[in-house]
Amino acid sequence: MEKQGQKGGRLLLVPCPFQGHINKMLQLGSVLHSKGFSITKFLAQMISHQDPSHPQFSCIIYDEVMYFCPAVANHFKLPSIMFRTCSATTFLVRALIPNLHLQGCLPLPDSILQDPVPEHYPLRFKDLPITKFGSEEQNLRLMANLFNTEKSSAIIFNTVDCLEQSSLAIIQHQKQLPIFPVGPMHKLAPNSTSSILEEDTSCIAWLDKQARNSVTYISLGSIASMDAKELEEMAWGQANSKQPFVWVIRSSQKISPEWIESFTKDFKNSVGERGCIMRLAPQRQVLAHDAVGGFWTHCGWNSTLESICEGVPMICRPCFGDQNVTARYVSQVWRVGWQYENELERGEIEKIVLRLMVEEEGKEMRKRARGLKHVVEASIDDGGPSCNSLNELVEFIMSS
Ligand code: UDP
């Protein structure tokens, strides 16, 4: 897959094969192409055919997960730039985890879960992005590899300076590398493809019929999921709130497609026109719709940026990893959402939905979210920090 630019060199982009990561790399490629670079993607074998005396590529930009790339780039005497698709804060605090292991604190003892992580307000130990998948040893090795930027020339972040200024400053200080926060990528490359699966756009006509700010959009992204009990609590919490909603429900390891089908059929009959249920929504379009006034989210980094960019306040229900960090920032730092921390229970769900969608407190929250939207929007305008950072990145690649 190639795109020819005019004045820049040829860049090799190496994405990680997960939907969210691929999307971001495609968006970055699209933006850099508009700045005059030729782009080559996915062509892993091409680099091994590269003749070191006639380099075909001027730079490799790799997803942080593809951490073997700098070694390959070094072999061919090419600069390599890490692209970080999640938040800068997660990148920063993930580096604390190997130390916790050395101190014998993993798994974290219950006694410290609620304690603040020193120098990382507002995070508590329970918010640290400690993954539960795979063995501890594998995870620690991965963490160490992900944080190792010794052979990289720079780091690109899909974030915005105003959202993560202090984390970015600490990273800059620790790494002594050029740092380029150029987010939100989806706003810089709005026409780049977003989903490799087919989205159900029927909800847009349904949203057109709803009152302004009246609808809650519920989605847990592409990986996280609820079990059957949680799904039922959620369903009755939403139904009892009597507020309209769009809900993305997918089958998962926890629930079969057959169970989902029968559950959705019964539930649709109970809520009638008040609910719109689907397997994959055109999320950016949904969040941008005037009728949407709140987002029940797992706080994936992309969903969070998309919500902030549309000024939609959030109910945060993180499931694992970096989602906990982001939920904490949404609720405690940017203050554009509340975190739902207890077990899912219909009465509590009804209460928090009403608090956001109907009550005065929710209106205040929505005002703050609109304010943050404008600040973030301004960052990609001419002269804004993300726009400047992108121009600096272009200069940096051209002069490398
Ligand atoms: N998404 C979508 N439709 C859906 C659910 C998700 O378009 O029904 C998109 C969403 O807009 C976002 C991405 O999938 O860009 C999810 O990324 P995020 O980082 O929020 O979560 P992840 O899926 O990586 O957990």
Side-chain angles (χ1 to χ4, degrees):
M1 250 197 279
E2 289 201 18
K3 278 187 167 189
Q4 296 296 326
Q6 291 133 23
K7 58 184 170 127
R10 183 185 299 271
L11 308 178
L12 178 65
L13 306 190
V14 186
C16 161
F18 286 120
Q19 164 146 15
H21 291 247
I22 293 175
N23 285 348
K24 291 306 120 181
M25 194 59 100
L26 290 176
Q27 288 165 2
L28 179 65
S30 178
V31 171
L32 290 172
H33 180 255
S34 74
K35 296 280 183 185
F37 291 98
S38 299
I39 304 292
T40 302
K41 299 180 227 115
F42 305 128
L43 293 166
Q45 70 276 34
M46 279 195 74
I47 190 142
S48 59
H49 298 316
Q50 172 136 318
D51 174 355
S53 55
H54 295 96
Q56 198 179 355
F57 301 112
S58 53
C59 180
I60 297 179
I61 300 180
Y62 66 99
D63 187 296
E64 62 164 353
V65 179
M66 312 304 268
Y67 52 78
F68 53 86
C69 287
V72 179
N74 267 25
H75 177 74
F76 289 102
K77 302 200 169 28
L78 291 175
S80 62
I81 302 182
M82 176 191 271
F83 179 36
R84 167 93 187 131
T85 55
C86 299
S87 74
T89 307
T90 311
F91 179 81
L92 183 64
V93 298
R94 217 169 38 191
L96 305 175
I97 295 168
N99 273 344
L100 286 171
H101 171 69
L102 289 177
Q103 291 159 12
C105 294
L106 289 186
L108 292 171
D110 286 353
S111 57
I112 69 164
L113 290 179
Q114 298 291 343
D115 292 353
V117 179
E119 295 173 32
H120 289 286
Y121 171 84
L123 299 182
R124 302 157 297 185
F125 280 96
K126 67 184 274 198
D127 302 314
L128 289 177
I130 298 172
T131 175
K132 296 189 178 91
F133 305 116
S135 73
E136 191 173 289
E137 196 189 319
Q138 277 172 334
N139 287 327
L140 288 167
R141 211 175 320 127
L142 181 67
M143 301 273 167
N145 279 325
L146 295 183
F147 199 66
N148 183 355
T149 48
E150 252 171 52
K151 293 196 168 92
S152 312
S153 315
I155 313 177
I156 302 170
F157 282 97
N158 179 27
T159 191
V160 189
D161 191 63
C162 64
L163 295 179
E164 297 196 279
Q165 208 163 35
S166 71
S167 297
L168 286 164
I170 299 171
I171 294 169
Q172 170 86 71
H173 178 73
Q174 286 183 355
K175 295 289 181 187
Q176 297 292 312
L177 281 177
I179 302 278
F180 301 103
V182 299
M185 291 302 318
H186 73 280
K187 284 288 179 187
L188 286 168
N191 299 323
S192 170
T193 43
S194 140
S195 180
I196 48 182
L197 302 170
E198 201 179 332
E199 293 162 348
D200 180 348
T201 52
S202 62
C203 60
I204 301 300
W206 180 90
L207 282 169
D208 288 343
K209 291 188 230 143
Q210 312 301 320
R212 195 177 155 77
N213 293 334
S214 66
V215 176
T216 312
Y217 170 58
I218 310 158
S219 167
L220 300 186
S222 59
I223 304 163
S225 58
M226 294 181 188
D227 62 26
K229 163 100 175 45
E230 290 173 322
L231 217 70
E232 287 193 20
E233 291 304 313
M234 185 69 172
W236 293 113
Q238 291 295 335
N240 296 342
S241 78
K242 307 264 188 296
Q243 304 305 304
F245 61 88
V246 173
W247 188 1
V248 176
I249 308 184
R250 284 176 296 103
S251 57
S252 68
Q253 282 175 336
K254 297 176 188 167
I255 23 181
S256 67
E258 296 74 32
W259 191 93
I260 292 281
E261 202 176 313
S262 118
F263 167 81
T264 323
K265 202 166 139 213
D266 291 349
F267 184 55
K268 268 185 184 163
N269 285 339
S270 314
V271 288
E273 276 299 292
R274 203 151 25 80
C276 181
I277 299 175
M278 61 194 49
R279 267 184 286 194
L280 191 72
Q283 179 162 305
R284 278 151 54 182
Q285 248 180 298
V286 169
L287 288 169
H289 199 288
D290 268 1
V292 173
F295 183 12
W296 182 295
T297 172
H298 70 310
C299 282
W301 184 239
N302 295 311
S303 295
T304 304
L305 282 182
E306 288 161 10
S307 200
I308 288 175
C309 285
E310 301 307 335
V312 178
M314 291 165 254
I315 297 172
C316 307
R317 174 72 179 169
C319 298
F320 48 75
D322 68 316
Q323 298 158 15
N324 294 305
V325 175
T326 307
R328 204 66 186 148
Y329 267 64
V330 168
S331 58
Q332 304 295 315
V333 179
W334 309 319
R335 298 176 55 243
V336 291
W338 290 301
Q339 184 166 350
Y340 184 114
E341 298 215 53
N342 299 333
E343 223 172 275
L344 288 181
E345 189 276 321
R346 60 190 72 187
E348 291 295 314
I349 294 168
E350 178 187 346
K351 239 194 261 166
I352 199 165
V353 168
L354 290 173
R355 189 174 168 207
L356 185 64
M357 304 306 293
V358 177
E359 290 168 17
E360 208 46 49
E361 248 188 310
K363 289 185 188 142
E364 286 303 312
M365 182 74 85
R366 196 160 300 110
K367 258 193 229 159
R368 265 202 305 279
R370 293 280 140 90
L372 187 59
K373 165 191 160 87
H374 295 309
V375 178
V376 169
E377 258 174 0
S379 72
I380 56 169
D381 288 347
D382 270 354
S386 289
C387 175
N388 290 344
S389 210
L390 181 62
N391 291 335
E392 288 161 16
L393 170 66
V394 170
E395 290 293 315
F396 178 81
I397 298 173
M398 285 180 153
S399 61
S400 296

